Amino acid sequence: QVQLVESGGGLVQAGGSLRLSCAASGRTFSPYAMAWFRQAPGKAREFVMSIKWSGGYTSYRDSVKGRFTISRDNAKKTVYLQMNSLKPEDTALYYCAASEGRWGTTWTDYDYWGQGTQVTVSS
């Protein structure tokens, strides 16, 4: 049984920063990859950033390059998303996801999902 719990969302002004966390539970769980997706009201869920657990290789959408950083802590089974230089268009519900065998950019690549944490960026 695997559970993902996100935290760290909030309200910030444009140009500010937030750090999201996603803790995974499960005695025998070992992710192949973990990722962050986001969804704004009335819009489709979109890929933000991902990390392959073995080796720590990352993938990301162009709009967050140079602003967001994904990282992991093996001991804590936690993935982080450091978000800097936030823009109003980053406003969304951010979801953490984990995969048992894929490292991809679509929601169907992932097997487990967190409940989401809200990020709101004001102008």
Side-chain angles (χ1 to χ4, degrees):
Q1 182 171 309
V2 177
Q3 183 176 13
L4 305 179
V5 180
E6 305 102 327
S7 62
L11 173 64
V12 297
Q13 292 184 325
S17 299
L18 282 175
R19 183 176 176 85
L20 306 184
S21 299
C22 175
S25 64
R27 293 176 59 188
T28 62
F29 177 62
S30 182
Y32 183 82
M34 293 186 71
W36 290 95
F37 289 77
R38 64 189 181 187
Q39 188 167 25
K43 300 186 69 176
R45 187 180 305 177
E46 68 178 15
F47 169 78
V48 178
M49 211 161 198
S50 67
I51 185 166
K52 184 173 182 290
W53 215 255
S54 179
Y57 304 104
T58 62
S59 182
Y60 47 84
R61 68 183 302 108
D62 288 343
S63 63
V64 305
K65 184 178 182 180
R67 300 191 299 124
F68 292 10
T69 302
I70 191 169
S71 61
R72 73 200 193 290
D73 186 318
N74 290 331
K76 296 181 179 180
K77 294 194 293 184
T78 299
V79 66
Y80 305 94
L81 184 66
Q82 178 66 47
M83 304 184 293
N84 300 324
S85 301
L86 283 162
K87 304 174 181 179
E89 50 262 47
D90 294 317
T91 295
L93 186 64
Y94 282 69
Y95 294 95
C96 176
S99 169
E100 292 183 340
R102 292 185 178 185
W103 179 37
T105 59
T106 65
W107 69 272
T108 55
D109 292 321
Y110 296 86
D111 304 293
Y112 309 103
W113 292 85
Q115 81 289 351
T117 185
Q118 180 67 39
V119 172
T120 302
V121 185
S122 65
S123 60

